[in-house]
Amino acid sequence: MVLSLSASLQDYLESILDLRESGGKVRVTDLAQKLGLTKASVSQALTQLADKGLIKQEPYGPIELTKAGEFQAKKVRANHDLLFSFLVDVLGVEVQTANADACAIEHAVSDETMDKLAIFLDSYKKGEQKMEPDQTLTLADLKVGQSGLIYKLIAPSDLKQKLLDMGLIKGATVLLQGKAPLGDPLEVVVQGTKLSIRNNEAIYVLIK
Amino acid sequence: MSRDASRETVIALVGNPNTGKTSLFNALTGSKQHVGNWPGVTVEKKEGFIQHKDRKIRLVDLPGTYGLRAKSEDEKIAKNYLLDAESDVVLCVCDSTNIERNLYLLLQLREMGKNTVLALNMADEAEKKGIKIDVDLINESFGVTAIKTVATRKQGTKELLQASLLAESQKNEDFAISYGEVIDEALSDITKIIPKTNLRSNLRYLALRLLEGDSDIEKLVDEKTLTLTAKLREKIEKLYDDDISSLVAEARYKYLSSIIQKAIRRTNTEVSWSDKLDRIFTHKKLGIPIFLLIMFLVFQLTNTLSAPLVEWIENGFAYLSEITNTALTNVGIDGVWSSLISDGIIAGVGSVLTFLPQIALLFLGISILEDTGYMARVTYLMDKIMQSMGLSGKAFIPMILGFGCNVTAVMASRTLETKEDRILSILANPFISCSARLPVYVLFTGAFFPKHQGLVLFLIYLLGIIMAIFTSWLFKKILFKGKSSPLVMELPPYRLPSFKNTWNQVAGRVQTFLTKAGTVILGASVIIWALATLPSGVEYASEASLLGRIGSLIAPLFSLAGFGTWQAAAALSFGVLAKEVVVTSLAVLFSTSEAGLPAILPMHFTSASALSFMVMSLLYMPCAATLGAIKRETGSRKWMILSMVYSLVIGLVLSVLVYQVAIRLGW
């Protein structure tokens, strides 16, 4: 648990981490925009975080997490994900409610509870493995004549758009009808249409 | 809403590729059609005019597209037109045999707020396949008027026009589907603050596009809207652990399947003949041999059928040149002007027109293969091999065509999907040795390598292929590094080609070739004639002529390659006009006939320089008609110039290399 930090400061750390991961340098403006707050209040909170040695910021420079800050931020996020997964997967709470509740609980929960929760979820999911999709199976792994349900698309955005428009969406049935003479590309049937797709595009289509 | 009858109604034609959109366009515009081509960089957009009773209708045919999210060039044209230009009615063309995916586009059009009429095309095929469509339910669900059509037989076209004109005057119903509570709420929040734009779309659709991150629309709104959308997007994506685009696509397909379940009934589920054909044509072992056989037949037919036509054209122009000369002399015009007309214009334009039969026949073959749906299978079969050269499977057909004529090959490159692929294919293609270069090799191999004629010929062709592959590999590396275009492509069901469609395609291509390439050639002929004639008083095409001087000027450039004579240089310059002209001009320049050349050539060339001259003829520069085609197909002079410079450098380097190696081998 992050005893020494208020809930809102934890949110700041988490947001800085998010922004950094979604692309490069984090500035006060970005942070204010993301959290929906004024720049003034963001600056104030940043001073507090800097005092605690969780972030570094040169005047007018980008905001950087220190090692300690990054640790705290990741921890908050891990807590959130665990709680969210527990609420949705185990209790069957609605996604929106689960998200809001996880946000509220993540700041106030002890390390011990979180550790126990992680162990519980792990064994719970193993027991339920048949329900969980095998994420390593892709469209490219199907055998000719075999079909499967599309579980997720992990393609880069341009290709993903194209695949979606062609009807390769979550929940759709896709049949591998054949392979070209050299094993590539593949001939698949989805939404009643025959498509040709290369192996290195098919690996982005995860199959149940 | 009543409209001034004199004002024209604009109808935009939209639909997935392979839905018979072009057939419908032709069926609607009929004999009165006036087809205007926009030289779009990538895909063309056609326009036609119809007079229906007292109404004037302008029909705009947009490129086939699967969605309106504008990631690829053709989708961009369709999307931008729908958002920017004023169309009164959108006519959505749909393949009745594959209605699910087709309605996905209709859904987006309706979300955009377009006044839409739906053409359920290929209704006959659907009927044969036992597909029953509840038209009323479709109309009700989407707020459209759907009409069953068979475009190839002009069925339902009148009803379609009437429905479109009626739709124009009726109030357009609002249409929206639910994307779930969270997204719906976000959309209404964005809609409230979105600033006014000139885009012709519902606000909710724009809000949805913003939420999906459409950069074209982001440019048009204010900071406040952007901040809000970004915030909402992040919230939603985190909530569902998926991106908005996927969520939107899923919601749409879900909505569609709920309608389709009720509106469509399939009574026949046996394997279609199309699937049976595919078992043969895309067979693991037989697929490629069958393809090679088909290609061989197309080539054989093209060559056999065009040979007599080419001869007629050649003879015709020779005769025309002769009688013009006589006629001009008779009326007292001779010397310079008669030479301009007969040697310059008639001979120059004639040499290009001899390509016409081949072009027309090749495109006839290609358009039939395209219409049947076989071309998509060829791409499928060859993709792996082409990929290893940095090209897409779709570049294979242009490559093969290059052996006939580079002009047709460059023109056929337009079937490639992305601009990058098109440019790679266009730059690589001129190195494939076209039939026009064959006379040069035949002449030189006959004179210098009579015992190994076949082998030398084969090596020259092989060098061309290697250079084409090298070029596409090289430019892929330096120009389009890392850009690979996806090959997610529909394999449409096989269909019988319609005569009308095929005819339209061939006629259109022939016309383009004649008008555009013809003007380039005409200009070039006159320039070269002038160079051979000026300054006045010199003997035509002699060393004293400008051409001779230019030849002398650039000849040193070729000295390292062993053929640094002014005649060789001038012949190569002439050859830019058309490659076979190299032979004719050598005859002129050495003051002999074509038949006398083999005896004279050894006085000016050695075996080594003959070899390097052939290499040069193969590589040095695309002919004028090809250059014209490159400029037209790429839409810019830049690529044409790059192609000229690049091939000149490659030609020089390789011919020098060949010559230097050959003389060291003691030839």
Side-chain angles (χ1 to χ4, degrees), chain A residues 34 160-161 194 196 198, chain B residues 69 234 278 383 487 489:
Chain A
K34 186 175 156 81
K160 186 168 184 173
Q161 198 74 76
K194 207 180 275 188
S196 127
R198 288 191 190 123
Chain B
R69 314 214 231 183
E234 203 195 32
D278 249 355
D383 184 64
L487 187 90
M489 173 192 70

Side-chain angles (χ1 to χ4, degrees), chain B residues 220-238:
Chain B
L220 301 171
V221 300
D222 56 1
E223 195 66 29
K224 198 174 137 204
T225 316
L226 286 180
T227 319
L228 179 70
T229 7
K231 209 170 120 187
L232 289 168
R233 183 188 308 133
E234 203 195 32
K235 187 181 129 198
I236 294 165
E237 293 190 341
K238 205 169 166 188

Side-chain angles (χ1 to χ4, degrees), chain A residues 20-34:
Chain A
R20 195 187 71 188
E21 280 171 4
S22 64
K25 292 185 172 140
V26 186
R27 294 176 187 284
V28 178
T29 327
D30 308 332
L31 205 53
Q33 199 178 79
K34 186 175 156 81

